[in-house]
């Protein structure tokens, strides 16, 4: 995993808000005081076809190791040219598969 790990980071953040209702995120003081406060998040830089940088952030992990494993999986998937969208539904996947496999049979 060498240099690819430098393209991402794992950190803790929470949903606490300041007096203006703005989230404190990773700057919450309770994160320093309480080890169980907040959740783990990863942010990773992904390359796009047009050459611009795209940052992917995912949070809600219970441990640092869990977030680091998911970040490593994303970077490995990008290296192999595989993108896994965990929010894809079965219906959405089948619709996409039908349009690419047999476009003449798909009805709008």
């Amino acid at each position: 995993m060498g240099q690819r790990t430098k393209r991402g980071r794992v950190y803790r953040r929470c949903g606490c808000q300041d007096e203006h209702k703005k989230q404190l995120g990773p700057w919450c003081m309770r994160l320093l005081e309480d080890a169980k406060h907040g959740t783990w998040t990863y942010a990773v830089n992904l390359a796009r076809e047009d050459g611009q940088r795209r940052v992917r952030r995912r949070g809600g992990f219970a441990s640092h190791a869990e977030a680091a494993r998911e970040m490593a999986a994303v970077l490995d998937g990008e290296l192999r040219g595989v993108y896994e969208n965990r929010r894809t539904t079965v219906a959405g996947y089948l619709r996409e598969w039908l349009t690419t496999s047999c476009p003449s049979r798909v009805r709008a």
Side-chain angles (χ1 to χ4, degrees):
M1 287 200 325
Q3 289 186 329
R4 286 184 290 133
T5 57
K6 293 183 181 181
R7 293 185 33 218
R9 64 188 179 107
V10 177
Y11 57 95
R12 257 188 338 157
R13 62 171 290 128
C14 71
C16 293
Q17 299 176 346
D18 64 6
E19 62 274 1
H20 303 292
K21 304 289 184 192
K22 182 179 177 186
Q23 272 196 2
L24 296 174
W27 296 282
C28 178
M29 295 307 289
R30 286 185 56 198
L31 291 173
L32 298 173
E33 300 164 358
D34 184 9
K36 294 185 179 185
H37 184 71
T39 59
W40 289 93
T41 302
Y42 73 85
V44 63
N45 294 327
L46 299 174
R48 290 185 5 194
E49 290 80 24
D50 59 3
Q52 293 182 347
R53 184 181 81 158
R54 178 177 55 128
V55 178
R56 178 177 181 185
R57 290 181 183 85
R58 296 290 185 267
F61 298 99
S63 68
H64 182 277
E66 188 180 342
R69 258 194 316 273
E70 185 68 26
M71 182 181 75
V74 169
L75 289 172
D76 288 341
E78 183 195 28
L79 183 66
R80 290 178 305 180
V82 176
Y83 174 71
E84 179 182 344
N85 185 356
R86 295 183 184 243
R87 295 182 183 180
T88 301
T89 62
V90 173
Y93 172 78
L94 290 175
R95 198 174 299 115
E96 182 180 334
W97 179 78
L98 279 172
T99 56
T100 57
S101 298
C102 45
S104 61
R105 294 184 181 192
V106 177
R107 296 180 202 155

